Amino acid sequence: MKQVTSNFKTAFIAVTSLFFMWGFITVLVDALIPRLKEVFELQYYQASLVQFAWFMAYGLVAIPAGMLLTRIGYKKGIVVGLATAGLGCMLFYPAAELRVFGLFLTALFVLASGITMLQVAANPYIAVLGPPSGAASRLNLAQAFNSLGTTIAPMVSAAYLLGDQIMGKDAIAAMDEAQKQAYYASEAESVQMPFLVVAGFFVLLAVFMAMSHLPRILSGEHKTITEYFKVLRHKRLRFGVLGIFVYVGAEVAIGSFLTNYFLNLGLAEAVLQNPTMNHLASSITSVFSGKSIGDLDEKGVVGAFLIFYWGSAMVGRFVGAWLTSRFNPAHVLRVFALGAVLLVLLSVSSGGFIAMFSILLVGFFNSIMFPTIFTLSLEGLGEETPEASGVLVTSIVGGAFIPMAVGVAIDSWNFGVAFFIPVLCYLTIVMFARYASRNKA
């Protein structure tokens, strides 16, 4: 892959818009978990199948996507990814209409397959749009717009996916047939419309990207599956694969169970009784959804605060783009990973609003982890970068397994025990950062 030294501002802006979209859609998927848990009467580990279906796509699709990418180039790969993601969003319509949990999982897998293609294409593409020394800073900046999407999405989910009352099996059984059909139709619409709108955005982005001029920076040489095994001879990359695996697993596990964690802490009632917190939640929901806090159930009340988890990640990435441009990215990564460890431990050892805001601020320290681990892992790989990128994106499959382990731990013990799993993940990232700082590529 040749180094790109000319000014590619247009390409950077176009590709960065993709980061926003997949951040937005990923958090909408997180918001489905508490809703589907009640609608389908699921245990926590069963509800985590939503994340399992989503992130298994990374494990199964990333390497084939990387192989396709080397043949058709970044631009066509991005268009294919957008079209596939749009199709997955459209599949939510029949899945919600029929209310079959397996169809939801299928739609999620198709949607995630499209996002996987975008990840494989966009992350390394941003990294090479300029000097290698600024790769971590550029990717942190692009990922900041990913965080903008994850910041806005909780408010959309609070208004449309968590805002109305979900009835249990006994309450539904007590309805007459007309009431049941009306309830089912309302449930289907609450899921269908947001994802149809998102599907439209994906289609529009696909058309925009197809018409855009993006510089071609791949040789177009055909690569076989063997190339993906060969690239793992680099110890730095192998350690980076583990780093991405545990980082994504930890971030998704915390984000997926935050609403249930807050409810377990009794924070919905605490928010309603505390004038300051009540006013804050009301302001958030009114600005983003036009609803008052009185229109929301308990999940909607505490779900409004997820904006601080994803919003602090957005702030952290802008800060991280500045820090990694001036300091050794590996040193910055180690400090942020240690910060995440301390905040999770503070949350599980305390209660009330201290527990809530300490776990929410983990988002700030999560912020730079993915782009910094990604770019540190790719250092010095040159023409092997597309294969290495495919392997790294495959390791996002950690988001399928670690949240499930956390869900099992919650069912078996409690949230306090379960959240020690993310602590171990962040300590692994501390070790990767230490290795990267001491061993040059």
Side-chain angles (χ1 to χ4, degrees), residues 323-342:
L323 288 173
T324 53
S325 69
R326 286 162 175 78
F327 303 98
N328 187 326
H331 295 328
V332 178
L333 175 63
R334 180 161 48 179
V335 171
F336 274 54
L338 286 171
V341 169
L342 294 175

Side-chain angles (χ1 to χ4, degrees), residues 150-201:
T150 61
T151 302
I152 294 173
M155 295 304 96
V156 176
S157 65
Y160 298 105
L161 296 179
L162 298 176
D164 59 329
Q165 185 66 42
I166 301 172
M167 297 186 182
K169 185 183 295 184
D170 294 337
I172 295 174
M175 297 178 179
D176 60 35
E177 190 60 30
Q179 290 174 322
K180 286 182 182 178
Q181 293 305 315
Y183 175 71
Y184 290 150
S186 174
E187 284 294 292
E189 185 178 358
S190 69
V191 174
Q192 288 169 332
M193 293 311 298
F195 282 93
L196 282 179
V197 172
V198 174
F201 277 114

Side-chain angles (χ1 to χ4, degrees), residues 154 239 426:
F239 208 159
Y426 292 128

Side-chain angles (χ1 to χ4, degrees), residues 7-89:
N7 190 338
F8 289 127
K9 285 185 179 179
T10 302
F12 182 86
I13 293 170
V15 177
T16 298
S17 67
L18 305 178
F19 285 78
F20 172 86
M21 280 303 298
W22 79 58
F24 182 87
I25 195 68
T26 299
V27 175
L28 282 188
V29 171
D30 285 343
L32 282 173
I33 289 181
R35 185 170 199 93
L36 296 180
K37 183 179 183 297
E38 295 195 25
V39 170
F40 293 100
E41 301 290 323
L42 304 175
Q43 296 296 316
Y44 279 108
Y45 84 91
Q46 293 172 315
S48 67
L49 286 174
V50 172
Q51 295 294 1
F52 187 81
W54 177 267
F55 286 98
M56 274 305 295
Y58 288 97
L60 297 176
V61 176
I63 288 179
M67 295 173 67
L68 178 63
L69 195 66
T70 58
R71 301 192 69 175
I72 66 176
Y74 285 115
K75 177 178 176 178
K76 291 181 180 178
I78 288 170
V79 172
V80 170
L82 288 167
T84 304
L87 174 62
C89 288

